[in-house]
Amino acid sequence: MTAATAGPGRDRHAVLLPPPPGATRVDGQARSTAVVGGGIAGLAAATALAERGVDVTVYEREAYLGGRVGGWSTGLSDGTTATMSRGFHAFFRQYYNLRSLLSRIDSPPGHLIGLPDYPLRHRDGLHDSFRRVPRTPPLSALGFVALSPSFRWRDLVRMRPAAALPLLDVGVPDVYAQLDGVSAHDFLESLRFPPAARHLAFEVFSRSFFADPRDLSAAEMVLMFHIYFLGSSEGLLFDVPDDPFPTALWDPLAKHLTRHGADLRLSTPVENVSPTTDGAFTVATDREERRYDTVVLALDTTGLRSLVGRSSRLADPAWRERIGRLRTAPPFLVSRLWLDRAVDADRPGFLGTAGYGSLDNVSVLERWEQEAARWSARTGGSVVELHGYALPENADPDAAARHLIAQLRNVYPETRDARVLDARHEWRQDCPLFPVGGYGDRPGVRTPQPGLVLAGDLVRTDLPVALMERAATSGFLAANALLQSWAVRGHPLWTVPNGGRNRLLRALAGGRARARTRS
C-alpha cells in the first residue's frame, strides 16, 4: 500500500494500491475470459478486463444484472409497471472502488444522491442520528457517544476501556488474528457496552451482514467500526441511486461493457467449468460449450458451492472442500408495500430500527427514487419497504411478512389505516456468513488453478473493505491478477487506512509492532 494524494472528494488519508506495471492493453495474442456471475463483483472484473482489451463473456443466470443489487419489472394492480428489487442498499462514501466502477457510466457518479441523515430508533423511545456527528476520527466516535442518548454516564463508567483498545488500531489481517475467534455479541459483552447503545449502534453493523451477532465474527464487526468511524473521515452518511438499480446503475454499465466488446449472456446459468489439457477452460451451459483462456467465478455462496461441486476437475480437492464448507447467513425478508395514502411528510427516507421484533429498517422510497415518487404523486400514496434480517430458517415467510407490516404500524402509526394496494415479498438466503473462527478457511481471489480466480463479498481480500465495496474490490483484484499474468497493467484501488490513523491511538492499542509489520 502507498500513501498518496487522495484527490478531491476522498479522505486525505485514503490509501492507494497501485497495480503492477505492464502494457496498457492486451497486445498480440488475443485473451479471453469467462466471468460467471453478473453481480457487482462480476461486473467489476468484466469492466476491468474489457477495458484492457480482453475478450470478455459474462454469464448471468438471472434475466438482469446487479446480483443482490439488481432489479426486475413487476406489474401492479392499477396496470402500471414498477421495478422490484431485493431491497435498499446504502452506497457509503468509503466505497471508493465501487464508486470507481460506477464512474464508468454515462452520468457519473451513477445517479447517486445523498440522504440527509442515518437515523436510528429504538422502541423504548431512544433516537440516534449521524447527521451532526463529526466525521474526523477520533472525534467521530467521541461525538457519537456525546450526542447519543443511548450512552448514559453511569453506563460509560461501567465500561471496560481496556477491552476496547483493539478498536483503536484495526488492520487486516491482524484484526482476524485478534478477534476472529470471538463472536460480535461476546466482544460487546466484554466491553460492558450499554445495551441500548448496542442495539442502536454496533448491532446495525453486525446485522448488515444478515447475521445474528452471536454467530458473527467480532473481527468483521470491529472492521466495520474502523471503516466507518475511526479509520475514515467519510462518516456514516450515505448515498442512494435516484432511480431503480437497473435504470440508474446497471443498464448504463452494460452499455459501457458492450462498447468495449463484452458479450453479456443473461438468463444463462453455467453448468460446469472444466480445465483443458493445455491450460485453458471449457465453460458449459445447457446450450453450448465454449473455450476460454481464463475464468472468474463471481457467484454467491450457494452458487459457488454448487458450481464447484459440479466441476470436479477444478483446482484441487483441498480447495474444493474449502468451497464446500462456505456457509450462508440466515434468511432475510424484504417487503415492499404500495400504500393508498402517504406516510407523514417528516418521515425520513431511511430509518434503522431496534426493538420492533424482526423489523430492522424502514424505507420510504419516494423520498429519493424517481419511479416511486412518480407513483406517489399520481396516487397520493407511499411506497414503503421493510427489511427483516437474520430470521429463523424454519420461519413461515407469510407470517414473517405479516409481522413486519404490523411493526410498521407501530413505527409509523399513520399507516394503521392505510390500505395495501400492492405488496411484494422477497424471502432470500444467499448472503455469505462470516462465522466465528471462519476467516482462515475463507477462499482468496487466487486459487490453486492457474487462470481461475474468485470474486465476491464472500472472498478474502486482506484489505479493509466490506459488503458491496468488498465485492467491487475483489472483482478488480481478480481482473488485476489475470492482467498481471499477461504483463498488462491492472487498475488502481483505494481503501481506508489499514490500521489506526492516529499515532497516539495506535500506541494505546499496543499497535506499534503491528504497524511496523504492515509497513
Side-chain angles (χ1 to χ4, degrees):
M1 295 186 184
T2 303
T5 302
R10 188 182 287 128
D11 182 356
R12 65 187 181 89
H13 288 280
V15 175
L16 171 66
L17 287 75
T24 56
R25 287 177 61 84
V26 170
D27 191 20
Q29 181 182 356
R31 302 293 184 180
S32 62
T33 300
V35 177
V36 185
I40 290 175
L43 291 173
T47 299
L49 291 166
E51 288 177 347
R52 295 293 190 260
V54 179
D55 181 8
V56 174
T57 301
V58 177
Y59 292 92
E60 169 53 51
R61 67 182 178 186
E62 302 290 352
Y64 54 86
L65 295 172
R68 297 198 295 271
V69 196
W72 58 93
S73 295
T74 184
L76 301 182
S77 58
D78 62 3
T80 61
T81 299
T83 305
M84 184 56 190
S85 72
R86 294 158 51 102
F88 167 89
H89 282 75
F91 290 70
F92 289 97
R93 283 127 199 206
Q94 295 91 332
Y95 289 0
Y96 303 132
N97 302 316
L98 176 57
R99 287 168 178 268
S100 173
L101 174 66
L102 298 180
S103 73
R104 269 77 167 179
I105 71 177
D106 293 335
S107 301
H111 296 283
L112 296 180
I113 60 173
L115 293 189
D117 196 6
Y118 184 169
L120 307 172
R121 173 176 164 182
H122 196 281
R123 188 177 187 125
D124 64 9
L126 292 176
H127 292 75
D128 270 327
S129 166
F130 292 96
R131 180 172 53 192
R132 295 185 297 122
V133 173
R135 295 196 310 171
T136 303
L139 295 178
S140 50
L142 296 175
F144 178 68
V145 170
L147 294 170
S148 171
S150 59
F151 287 90
R152 297 169 296 185
W153 282 111
R154 64 176 179 270
D155 294 324
L156 294 175
V157 170
R158 290 183 62 251
M159 289 183 64
R160 298 178 61 238
L165 291 179
L167 297 171
L168 303 181
D169 186 20
V170 176
V172 179
D174 297 340
V175 68
Y176 292 97
Q178 288 180 283
L179 294 173
D180 194 46
V182 181
S183 74
H185 172 272
D186 289 348
F187 177 73
L188 294 178
E189 285 285 315
S190 73
L191 301 182
R192 295 177 185 165
F193 208 75
R198 181 187 308 176
H199 286 300
L200 280 174
F202 274 88
E203 286 194 7
V204 170
F205 297 127
S206 65
R207 296 183 74 86
S208 296
F209 289 99
F210 301 91
D212 186 290
R214 290 172 176 80
D215 298 324
L216 177 70
S217 164
E220 290 289 344
M221 185 190 66
V222 169
L223 178 60
M224 294 278 278
F225 186 86
H226 171 75
I227 292 170
Y228 297 115
F229 277 108
L230 288 180
S232 170
S233 65
E234 305 289 1
L236 207 65
L237 298 184
F238 53 80
D239 300 327
V240 290
D242 66 359
D243 245 335
F245 300 133
T247 305
L249 307 177
W250 311 131
D251 292 348
L253 188 61
K255 292 179 181 178
H256 176 81
L257 280 165
T258 55
R259 283 196 296 269
H260 284 274
D263 181 9
L264 306 179
R265 300 193 170 199
L266 304 182
S267 302
T268 309
V270 170
E271 300 293 331
N272 182 276
V273 177
S274 300
T276 64
T277 56
D278 58 351
F281 297 87
T282 299
V283 174
T285 69
D286 61 354
R287 293 191 291 268
E288 65 173 356
E289 294 184 356
R290 290 189 62 181
R291 175 189 169 93
Y292 297 92
D293 297 319
T294 57
V295 171
V296 179
L297 299 183
L299 298 160
D300 61 29
T301 303
T302 302
L304 181 62
R305 279 199 318 245
S306 178
L307 180 58
V308 170
R310 297 191 304 269
S311 306
S312 59
R313 295 173 51 218
L314 280 183
D316 58 39
W319 180 83
R320 293 197 299 274
E321 288 173 5
R322 289 176 67 192
I323 299 300
R325 288 192 293 268
L326 292 173
R327 297 168 56 191
T328 56
F332 66 95
L333 176 63
V334 174
S335 292
R336 186 173 297 183
L337 313 174
W338 287 261
L339 304 179
D340 71 343
R341 63 196 66 188
V343 300
D344 288 351
D346 61 349
R347 300 303 188 192
F350 176 84
L351 175 69
T353 60
Y356 292 93
S358 59
L359 179 67
D360 284 289
N361 57 64
V362 180
S363 300
V364 183
L365 269 66
E366 67 264 22
R367 296 288 186 266
W368 73 80
E369 188 186 274
Q370 295 182 43
E371 180 184 278
R374 290 191 295 269
W375 186 90
S376 177
R378 187 176 70 253
T379 64
S382 275
V383 186
V384 177
E385 186 176 276
L386 315 174
H387 287 202
Y389 304 141
L391 301 176
E393 295 198 20
N394 60 354
D396 174 37
D398 293 335
R402 290 193 297 270
H403 176 77
L404 291 188
I405 295 171
Q407 293 306 312
L408 167 67
R409 291 165 178 159
N410 290 325
V411 177
Y412 293 161
E414 69 271 20
T415 64
R416 291 172 183 171
D417 297 325
R419 187 161 58 94
V420 178
L421 301 177
D422 281 281
R424 299 292 185 274
H425 307 285
E426 290 293 320
W427 176 273
R428 303 287 183 118
Q429 187 179 5
D430 53 9
C431 297
L433 178 66
F434 303 112
V436 177
Y439 183 74
D441 208 32
R442 194 183 309 175
V445 168
R446 296 178 183 269
T447 76
Q449 181 91 50
L452 176 71
V453 290
L454 299 184
D457 59 351
L458 60 84
V459 173
R460 174 175 172 168
T461 64
D462 287 340
L463 295 173
V465 290
L467 302 172
M468 290 193 292
E469 178 69 352
R470 183 178 287 161
T473 302
S474 69
F476 282 112
L477 288 172
N480 284 355
L482 297 181
L483 292 170
Q484 183 180 15
S485 70
W486 299 321
V488 176
R489 187 175 72 243
H491 297 259
L493 297 173
W494 289 88
T495 73
V496 302
N498 193 23
R501 53 191 282 155
N502 181 284
R503 183 177 300 175
L504 175 60
L505 295 182
R506 289 199 304 271
L508 287 173
R512 287 173 173 164
R514 293 193 304 277
R516 285 196 298 269
T517 300
R518 284 194 294 272
S519 64

